[in-house]
């Protein structure tokens, strides 16, 4: 159960609500929400005590029917729009994120970010800390990679998404990027989820490769329960018996998430399929299924890539795909998100224009 | 290895080719192909004996690189178009098949077939023999259902696809319908595959719920190795750990099949997802991913359906979906397949106009 | 619901029971059971009409709580013992079935059957009709293989289990062997299940590689609903993401089956694991988990085997394994089943002693 | 490739080996091993430079054939025995670990630890930090739970295994327990793996619920590459389509691990199956398959358990199971590990006898 307090509710109002919930066996939990608002959540109560909605300071009481509270569409019937550098993820526009799997050098990052921006990407992806199955594989440039990403976003104004792998890195990564990515292997790293929940940065939460949609939404619930509603979900393939693709892209998750949750959902066709020739069809399919965007690996020199080269698109392939996307979206009166400063602006040098963390997401949160 | 003989090759030419293959350890197999042509297949040979292409009667020798022979795109680089009642599956047009999961009565079949035809379906689906997990569930009307389907197609000219469950039924079902459906539980029912291979009817081969794409294509190879090239593949969801949908639709299989095989591929979003609200998004996604068509459950009275009612669309929902499909396809200069006799024709009463079995598929086979 | 009639119930008693069930909305189904007994099953009724147990001819009414009727342990609380050539499967003794994956020649069959009998196997396995993923793989010797098996069992008195792949083969295979095996790919081949259900031969029902335990028991229910209670279940590995073994042996299925059903359950560690080095540990684990027996591939010349050689044990390995089994079982006061004619008897030449089909299973059915 | 240096090798010898590897394109990595030994690992080299074995300070060069280095049995052909409080895991004795899923109170911990010790457990399990799917579920007592565990082990001398969820907790948890458990959701939490690798405490590494055996061993490789060889693997069920058990216990992983790696492997039948009635059969099966031990949830009041109560054994059930285990093991001349101070000793109050961290594992490492 969620008790949404009015903005003018005082501490005493909140405490009385908590007491009322405890009196019927609940374990209330106070959440300080993005826009100075407070919620009292008691997930274990399935029936509100009488008179709760009439109490001082209470705006409304929501009783979601499933296991989710804050992530449930029953709590927030409109879709959430997460704002990243002036771009809204989850609104009517379709968002293209692209970049290298891993940051390898300043030169590589510059070349690829220019190419993807020119082709239509509005957010840059790039891994500094790379979780790798073997300890002997390239683990990313680490801090150096993070600095390269930060410098690039300051030069170009292009927002950056990059992975954070442990709680103590969250502040550091938040200072150098715009979106904190939680990777598939960390979807149930609960200390990490709580830490990004305490941040105010948008979070890109990848689905665990063997997580059900329900478990994925409960992972998002961990982040929201700490007060951070700026969450973008990202389906990246689940593990099945099929070996012709690296994972099995579960595109059906898109309408399932949209029905049960208000959070926006992206697709990562590169990591899901593992093969460049599958990225185009799956990107178009994602748009048709109602996804809010895609995140795509692009590399200028696929063979030389230090990580997952076989799944990266070449810039020209990526550009052609974005054009296809636009044709598909136009049939549904949807558009690609464009950089707020006009075509090409994000790719040009705008010294010093760093992207600010969102003060609010675009929805009424 | 496939040795494609010229149409004017005589028995002696064929026998000499076989002898040459046996001499190097092969086990040649003669296949009498649709259009009076003969092929000699020796899947166990990876290297052709010298001078084979110069032998009398030999048109060409194809050595596919994978495990497939006749289903491989290396054998037939253009896509195959399977003709069903004047409609081509696998060409530039997108084919919509629709109808009830199970035939329940003449009235139900008439009502639903009228509704789906009016909305844009060009082939009617309907199960007479229903494979059900429990012996106590409704097993379909059987022979009576088959007669109802046959009468309906004769009345309307609408081609019909229906499932055949055992070898001895093949002739009977072929006489009363236009496309022989092999269900997911029978994808590796090899005697059945061989029997439909000996038929000349088009075959709709559903993917086994735990079959890899490779196993699925090898099942198609069973049909082709008996001489029947009129095969339409149909992805219908694979079994995974996810329970929010009935199965997990593996849409990535579409571009994988298209790369490795020349056979057309459809999607069955109804059985894959098990929920009506997921059918629309997955249909559009299938079209965007490059599928050649879809097969959709439609029912006029979902609650009363005797089989899988929760996944059936209502006629109005189906009609709206077909309109969406058309908008999507138009962005890619593709069209919906329409009944050859013009809009509405298939749904009108055209007594006696039974659909003929295809004498050829539309490709150069 | 199951209404078990008394043996002296007449047709009129049965008809009145059926009428009473129909009156409350049921669809009763009469099953003529092995030992001249009759059952009326109405799986759709969850509540018995008043006075049913008092009706003439009614022995008892059973209302299983789950989806199963005849396979449920609630119907038959003692375990079923299926008798094969004097050996009981499902009793206190542990049954070892062994032999070649496929029958290849009289010589091969003789050699291997002698070896496995000498080592302690009491039933011979051997495939005549082999379902293979590719149409170009060795498909078994077919009829010739069946004749070789039949001759061998007549010579030695050793019961034989072999696979039947289509309904019309059932009679033929039943005439030449002792147990009808339904392979994993045919677990939901319902016409085949019904046909073996109409036979009186014991049936070895392999679990489908992607079937849940529930679906597996419902497949057994198909066989029982036709009146054949002589069913032995066989777990042979399910399909998962793991590739280090060919399938994933689901040994937990043993205690699950034992809790929910009265049918005996075997393990096929050879097909489950695909590697000879895994067969021994999994055989011992199966015995420890409470399985009623195992079925093991043995080959005298693994490298030359025409089918699945890598998973076959050599005779010496098999013999050592049987010795280990005995040590393990002795700790639990269980024994290996031995040929009724004493050690060695089954392997010796006993011309003309063909095994008779069971007139009853050993339990009180 | 692994270059094992002699104990008397000096820094210069090591540097020269590294230089030789770099000269042929390798990226050598120095590992300071448990017993003052040094290894130079260069996983990217598949062929040793000439004369490497003859260099000063080099004991031997090992070139494992697969993806593993330090975890490979090719590096260490004998099995590793990990010593925990005088008990060897991985030797001839079978180790039983038991205790509550979560520590709930001093009283509960005392009661259960007494019960399991009396029945034959030699190591106590108990979660202080509990990773839970929902943020609203009981998350363990945290620090308080850790203190209760620590007090209990000091009182009884019973070694304790408990989960550590984030890198910064490692030191703390190591100071209060004997074995650091890495849970299934953290199997690929690489910062955590590295941190426990820098500790000298034994590590119990649970298999990820969707990890292949290969990925699991590579996770262990992360720990070993930091210099900690005291690793015990623990299979706890993988995620499949089957729902009759909570996960599917992959018992075949035991002989697979034993073939490819020298590390000991345990089974957690409680979390794998999720049902108390399945724990006994799977424990016996684990012992028969060659596992080195089991870890079992026991609770004195199953209904009141705050976490996973349905899978916990009651003390009497646990005691009966241990007796069964003993009978099974005796057939193979194996024994249950017993507390070094004799029967009952571990359970009695031995104030102040805290278990020391191992200075060596029992093998020749």
């Amino acid at each position: 159960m969620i008790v949404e307090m009015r903005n003018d509710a005082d501490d005493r109002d909140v405490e009385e609500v908590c007491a009322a919930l405890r009196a019927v066996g609940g374990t209330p939990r106070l959440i300080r929400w993005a826009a100075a608002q407070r919620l009292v959540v008691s997930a274990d109560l399935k029936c509100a005590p009488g008179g709760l909605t009439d109490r001082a300071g209470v705006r409304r009481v929501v009783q979601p029917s499933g296991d989710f509270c804050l992530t449930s569409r029953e709590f927030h019937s409109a879709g959430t729009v997460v704002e990243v550098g002036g771009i809204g993820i989850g609104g009517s526009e379709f968002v293209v994120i692209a970049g290298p799997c891993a940051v390898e050098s300043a030169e590589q990052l510059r070349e690829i970010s220019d190419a993807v921006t020119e082709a239509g990407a509005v957010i840059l992806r790039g891994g500094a800390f790379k979780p790798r199955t073997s300890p002997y594989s390239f683990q990313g440039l680490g801090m150096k990679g993070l600095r390269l990403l930060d410098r690039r976003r300051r030069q170009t104004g292009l927002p950056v998404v990059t992975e954070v792998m442990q709680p103590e890195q969250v502040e550091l990564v938040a200072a150098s990027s715009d979106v904190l990515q939680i990777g598939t292997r960390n979807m149930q790293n609960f200390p990490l989820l709580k830490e990004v929940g305490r941040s105010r940065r948008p979070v890109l939460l990848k689905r665990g490769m063997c997580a059900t949609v329900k478990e994925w939404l409960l992972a998002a619930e961990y982040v929201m329960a700490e007060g951070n509603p700026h969450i973008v979900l990202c389906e990246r393939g689940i593990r099945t018996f099929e070996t012709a693709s690296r994972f099995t892209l579960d595109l059906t998750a898109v309408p399932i998430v949209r029905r049960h949750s208000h959070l926006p959902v992206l697709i990562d066709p590169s990591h899901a399929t593992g093969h460049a020739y599958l990225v185009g069809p799956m990107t178009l399919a994602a748009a048709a299924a109602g996804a809010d965007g895609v995140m795509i690996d692009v590399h200028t020199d696929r063979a030389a890539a230090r990580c997952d080269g076989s799944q990266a698109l070449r810039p020209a392939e990526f550009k052609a795909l974005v054009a296809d996307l636009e044709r598909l979206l136009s049939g549904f009166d949807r558009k690609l998100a464009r950089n707020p400063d006009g075509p090409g602006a994000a790719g040009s040098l705008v010294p010093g224009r760093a992207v600010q963390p969102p003060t609010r997401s675009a929805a009424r949160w």
Side-chain angles (χ1 to χ4, degrees), chain A:
Chain A
M1 176 186 310
I2 307 167
V3 185
E4 189 176 330
M5 305 302 292
R6 293 153 53 113
N7 285 9
D8 60 2
D10 59 23
D11 290 356
R12 188 182 175 143
D13 296 338
V14 170
E15 182 41 43
E16 285 183 354
V17 163
C18 290
L21 296 178
R22 275 187 217 104
V24 292
T27 49
R29 175 189 185 117
L30 176 63
I31 295 175
R32 291 182 179 275
W33 206 240
Q37 201 182 353
R38 288 184 290 187
L39 306 174
V40 179
V41 173
S42 186
D44 45 359
L45 284 185
K46 289 292 166 203
C47 182
L52 189 62
T53 51
D54 300 329
R55 281 183 182 274
V58 170
R59 178 178 290 153
R60 60 175 184 136
V61 175
V62 183
Q63 183 61 71
S65 53
D67 296 292
F68 318 117
C69 277
L70 304 169
T71 54
S72 171
R73 195 173 275 275
E74 294 173 70
F75 169 50
H76 181 46
S77 61
T80 284
V81 179
V82 175
E83 188 193 312
V84 177
I87 293 149
I89 306 179
S92 61
E93 295 180 333
F94 188 88
V95 175
V96 177
I97 304 174
C101 184
V103 177
E104 298 171 29
S105 69
E107 177 60 19
Q108 175 243 27
L109 189 62
R110 191 193 56 69
E111 211 174 277
I112 297 177
S113 68
D114 280 356
V116 300
T117 315
E118 193 267 334
V122 289
I123 300 178
L124 178 66
R125 66 148 291 150
F129 302 99
K130 299 296 303 174
R132 300 302 297 279
T133 302
S134 166
Y136 310 119
S137 298
F138 171 60
Q139 310 266 319
L141 296 183
M143 284 306 301
K144 188 190 161 191
L146 199 59
R147 281 191 298 269
L148 292 175
L149 282 168
D150 193 25
R151 193 189 309 160
R152 193 72 201 143
R153 72 198 257 271
R154 290 181 190 278
Q155 287 172 339
T156 61
L158 195 62
V160 158
V161 53
T162 197
E163 179 161 356
V164 55
M165 283 175 66
Q166 46 189 132
E168 56 265 47
Q169 286 175 340
V170 168
E171 203 176 331
L172 190 73
V173 175
S176 309
S177 67
D178 305 278
V179 182
L180 301 167
Q181 178 179 321
I182 304 292
T184 187
R185 289 168 184 78
N186 280 319
M187 192 203 83
Q188 291 192 321
N189 182 335
F190 302 121
L192 182 58
L193 295 177
K194 288 177 183 171
E195 191 63 32
V196 299
R198 286 187 282 267
S199 162
R200 283 293 169 270
R201 282 282 171 190
V203 174
L204 183 94
L205 180 61
K206 288 206 161 183
R207 180 179 182 184
M209 63 181 80
C210 69
T212 62
V213 170
K214 184 175 157 183
E215 289 166 338
W216 189 20
L217 290 176
L218 283 170
E221 191 85 25
Y222 263 93
V223 179
M224 296 191 86
E226 297 293 331
N228 186 353
H230 310 290
I231 302 173
V232 179
L233 301 167
C234 183
E235 153 69 25
R236 47 76 69 208
I238 58 173
R239 191 155 260 188
T240 70
F241 60 81
E242 176 61 77
T243 54
S245 54
R246 195 174 169 198
F247 295 93
T248 295
L249 180 67
D250 180 13
L251 211 47
T252 313
V254 171
I256 293 172
V257 163
R258 290 178 74 90
R259 184 185 187 88
H260 295 290
S261 178
H262 51 82
L263 295 173
V265 57
L266 307 184
I267 294 292
D268 178 342
S270 306
H271 286 79
T273 65
H275 296 281
Y277 84 95
L278 297 170
V279 170
M282 289 304 103
T283 294
L284 298 174
D292 294 298
V294 283
M295 182 155 81
I296 296 177
D297 281 14
V298 174
H299 206 286
T300 45
D301 186 357
R302 198 144 75 190
R306 298 185 70 183
C307 182
D308 294 338
S310 66
Q311 73 197 28
L313 293 189
R314 295 193 184 89
E317 295 165 334
F318 176 66
K319 192 172 180 175
L321 174 57
V322 174
D324 279 350
L325 253 181
E326 256 184 314
R327 285 201 290 165
L328 183 147
L329 291 166
S330 69
F332 293 92
D333 301 325
R334 291 183 73 192
K335 284 183 183 172
L336 282 180
R338 289 300 183 185
N339 188 278
D341 300 331
S348 57
L349 285 176
V350 189
R353 201 183 75 80
V355 177
Q356 295 304 311
T359 49
R360 52 167 192 83
S361 58
R364 59 147 199 125
W365 287 106

